[in-house]
Structures are given as structure tokens and as C-alpha cells.
Amino acid sequence: MKNFSKITLSVLLVASATLVSCNNDDDTPAPPVKASIYERLGGTKMVADPDNSGQMIEAGRLSFRKVVNSTIGLIVADVQSGAAGNLQAHFAPVLAETGTTQSTNIAKLSDNLTDFFSFNTGGTNAVNTYSGLNMVAAHDPAVNARMGTKASNADYTKFEGYVGAAANANGVASNTELYTDVVAVLESLRTPIVQK
């Protein structure tokens, strides 16, 4: 019995030594986990809110709000100038609102889009909760009276162009991985949004 125990103990020691010596591959560090888009846009770091004196906002949320507001501004400017291929038909109900109602509802649209993008790109705090319609319903005029018409692929490509220009204007250069990742998020929404 003592010989069996010594043999067993010897086998276990040799096996342990072999496993430990083979374990050198584990010294190679795992590749770093890519930070979320929200984190790369500033994340949860609190910064002064330039639109609300004395208030703080997450830097990631502020980045999205800037891009959303710039996108809305570009769309409205093209509609007002009568630019070819503008998206007036889509935004006609919102743009038909007047005075403080229009300002309030455009602000609500901005907040809703900021919520959506912040929530879906890594914003985890309660401020980034999206509770609006799903993408199919939100872009169907039969369900959402604030949507003027259904979107075609060309309309959606035009919208992506506005977002790209707004991202560029707010410090996200076209030739970066961050920009490519934002475009990938937009492309993932093409199928539910394009309905004609």
C-alpha cells in the first residue's frame, strides 16, 4: 500500500509539474476589451452642462446631445433652404408646429434621440434610459403622427450623412474607429427604419 501511495504521489507531482510548465501561455495578456461608444465619447464623467447653467451632465450624454442637436439643425437648414433631397416630408409634422410648441417638441425629439443613442451605445446610468417607441413604430406614420412619411433607403442614407456631418462638426473625425462604430450602429437600424 505504501508503494502504491508513493507511486500515486509521484505521478501527481509529475503531472502537476507538467501542467505548471505548460501554463506559460497564460502569461500572454488577454486583448483589451474595447470601450463602448458611450465611454469613448466621454462616458460617465460629469461635466458642466453648457445648455443648463449650474447643472452637470455625463460627458458621453453631452457628446450625443451635441451631435443630435447638430443633426436636427442640419436637417432644418436644408428644409428651410429647399435643398435637393431634404427630409422635409419626414419632419413635416414637427416643423409645422409653431412657436413655443415647436421649440418644446424639437427639444423633446432631441432628448428622445439622445436617450436612445446613449442607452444603446453603453450609457448605463438611469439618465440614459430610453422609453420611446421601437424603431418600426417610431418611423411608421400610421403609428407615430409626428412622422410625416415612411423612409426609403435613399432617405436613410441622407439621414446618415447628416449624422456624419454633425459628428464631424463635434469632433468625431470620419477616418476614426469611433466614427466607423457610430456608422455601424446607424446601419444596424436601417432595416427597421426603412419601410418603403
Side-chain angles (χ1 to χ4, degrees), residues 109-121:
L109 174 63
S110 173
D111 285 344
N112 201 24
L113 289 170
T114 300
D115 288 344
F116 178 83
F117 285 111
S118 295
F119 176 77
N120 286 291
T121 60

Side-chain angles (χ1 to χ4, degrees), residues 179-189:
Y179 184 91
T180 302
D181 290 348
V182 169
V183 170
V185 169
L186 292 172
E187 274 303 309
S188 75
L189 299 170

